[in-house]
Amino acid sequence: MARRDIEILERLKAQGHRLTPQRGMVLSAIAGLGGHVGVDQIFQRVREVYPYMDVATVYRTLQLLKRLHLVTEIVTGSGAQYELVRQETDRHHHMVCEQCGTTFDFPASYAESLRGELTRAFGFVAHLDHFTVSGLCAACAGKQGVSTGG
Amino acid sequence: MARRDIEILERLKAQGHRLTPQRGMVLSAIAGLGGHVGVDQIFQRVREVYPYMDVATVYRTLQLLKRLHLVTEIVTGSGAQYELVRQETDRHHHMVCEQCGTTFDFPASYAESLRGELTRAFGFVAHLDHFTVSGLCAACAGKQGVSTGG
DNA sequence: GTTAATGCAAACACTTTGCAGCCGC
DNA sequence: GCGGCTGCAAAGTGTTTGCATTAAC
């Protein structure tokens, strides 16, 4: 298990939660798959090493990790995706391609001015952990002949 | 039926689609309810005047309207929401409060610079029709004592 | 030993689909 | 009349829940 996972398990324990092998396996799966992963990907991955794993446990574990802000949830049209929360210095947001479904990252800095303006103008405190822009990625936009100017 | 609805029905017809009472009722319901509405709200509203209405028809109609860019879909964690596409001059995006669930609008202009930067830096063509920021609205942030500075 | 977490199955909410009959064109 | 649209029912997908058993503490 990676250093990152153990660190997270320690935080679970510190908050009074039990440190079960299943939780460890879910974390390993997310870390191993890397980036943004769906529930089923995690589930299948864990099954490879522990065939008794149940989807409900995956969901429950993800809910817990989400509640503790250890993973981030990205709600797409077809099933949520999850990823490990990164270092403060590596904050980022998401661009989801409507065509091919791929999720891309962009540095949080790009959205900071928007965030500031929304707070200033409307008093709305944006949680940019859960911030997703949909559209067309460069490849798909190219295929469709979409101008990148408008 | 409102002027706006008729206008939309005419566009349906112009594109070779049939102009059925059901479609008119769905449009009336969205317009009558105003703002961002869920499928079930639309369904119930139409049922009041036409008890034979089926949810499947509501879904099919919304898919059609979405495909023709006559309504906008907002994907939230629990069921999509829809609203009539507004005039070009009235484009806007959404802020959804995680606490109270209310959806607020903000003018599209606030997001234009972000949009431009994403295209410039990543070639990603953001569809800002489907653009939603989640966070805390002014009221809920106030209750929680959240600083609007960070 | 307590109590939380798991595994299993069943329920749930939301959305889609197959198909016969109907109705806008 | 033709073909798209509807109503109905059934299925599909993603997620949650009740409960007895298991295992972390």
Side-chain angles (χ1 to χ4, degrees):
Chain A
M1 205 181 297
R3 203 176 305 112
R4 197 73 222 290
D5 306 0
I6 294 172
E7 194 182 299
I8 290 181
L9 285 176
E10 287 304 322
R11 286 177 67 175
L12 278 189
K13 194 172 179 179
Q15 307 231 8
H17 300 280
R18 289 187 185 171
L19 227 157
T20 68
Q22 286 88 341
R23 289 177 176 172
M25 289 187 278
V26 167
L27 279 169
S28 289
I30 300 175
L33 290 162
H36 326 84
V37 297
V39 173
D40 202 58
Q41 284 175 78
I42 299 168
F43 177 50
Q44 296 304 336
R45 178 89 162 209
V46 173
R47 275 240 162 162
E48 289 171 17
V49 296
Y50 176 61
Y52 300 108
M53 190 62 167
D54 195 276
V55 225
T57 300
V58 176
Y59 278 105
R60 283 188 281 231
T61 301
L62 288 172
Q63 279 174 353
L64 175 66
L65 295 175
K66 185 174 71 173
R67 201 170 340 120
L68 301 180
H69 297 99
L70 299 174
V71 302
T72 298
E73 184 187 54
I74 310 167
V75 179
T76 76
S78 52
Q81 293 198 302
Y82 297 85
E83 70 177 338
L84 296 182
V85 167
R86 303 194 197 170
Q87 308 295 342
E88 191 64 35
T89 54
D90 188 29
R91 289 256 184 241
H92 64 289
H93 306 309
H94 301 110
M95 302 177 282
V96 178
C97 181
E98 292 167 357
Q99 197 79 56
C100 62
T102 312
T103 301
F104 302 89
D105 294 345
F106 67 91
S109 56
Y110 283 79
E112 275 312 310
S113 71
L114 172 63
R115 181 183 146 85
E117 286 177 49
L118 293 183
T119 301
R120 224 172 299 126
F122 307 99
F124 188 89
V125 184
H127 285 173
L128 294 187
D129 274 0
H130 310 142
F131 180 63
T132 301
V133 179
S134 63
L136 291 178
C137 70
C140 292
K143 276 178 213 151
Q144 294 205 352
V146 173
S147 153
T148 53
Chain B
M1 209 180 295
R3 204 176 303 112
R4 198 72 222 292
D5 305 1
I6 294 171
E7 193 182 299
I8 290 182
L9 286 175
E10 288 303 322
R11 286 177 68 175
L12 279 189
K13 194 172 180 179
Q15 308 232 8
H17 300 279
R18 291 190 183 166
L19 226 157
T20 67
Q22 286 87 340
R23 290 177 174 172
M25 287 187 280
V26 167
L27 280 170
S28 290
I30 301 175
L33 289 162
H36 327 82
V37 297
V39 173
D40 201 59
Q41 283 174 77
I42 299 169
F43 177 51
Q44 296 303 336
R45 177 87 160 208
V46 174
R47 275 239 159 161
E48 289 173 15
V49 297
Y50 176 62
Y52 300 109
M53 191 61 168
D54 195 277
V55 224
T57 300
V58 177
Y59 278 104
R60 284 189 280 232
T61 301
L62 289 172
Q63 278 175 353
L64 175 66
L65 296 174
K66 185 173 72 174
R67 203 174 333 125
L68 301 180
H69 298 100
L70 298 174
V71 303
T72 298
E73 184 187 55
I74 311 167
V75 179
T76 75
S78 53
Q81 292 199 300
Y82 296 86
E83 69 176 339
L84 296 181
V85 166
R86 303 194 195 171
Q87 308 294 344
E88 192 63 35
T89 53
D90 189 27
R91 290 254 186 243
H92 65 290
H93 306 307
H94 302 110
M95 301 176 280
V96 178
C97 180
E98 292 168 356
Q99 197 77 58
C100 62
T102 311
T103 301
F104 302 89
D105 295 345
F106 67 91
S109 56
Y110 283 79
E112 275 313 309
S113 71
L114 172 63
R115 182 182 146 87
E117 285 176 50
L118 293 183
T119 301
R120 223 173 300 128
F122 307 100
F124 188 89
V125 184
H127 285 173
L128 293 187
D129 275 1
H130 310 143
F131 180 63
T132 300
V133 179
S134 64
L136 291 178
C137 70
C140 292
K143 274 179 214 150
Q144 293 204 353
V146 174
S147 152
T148 55

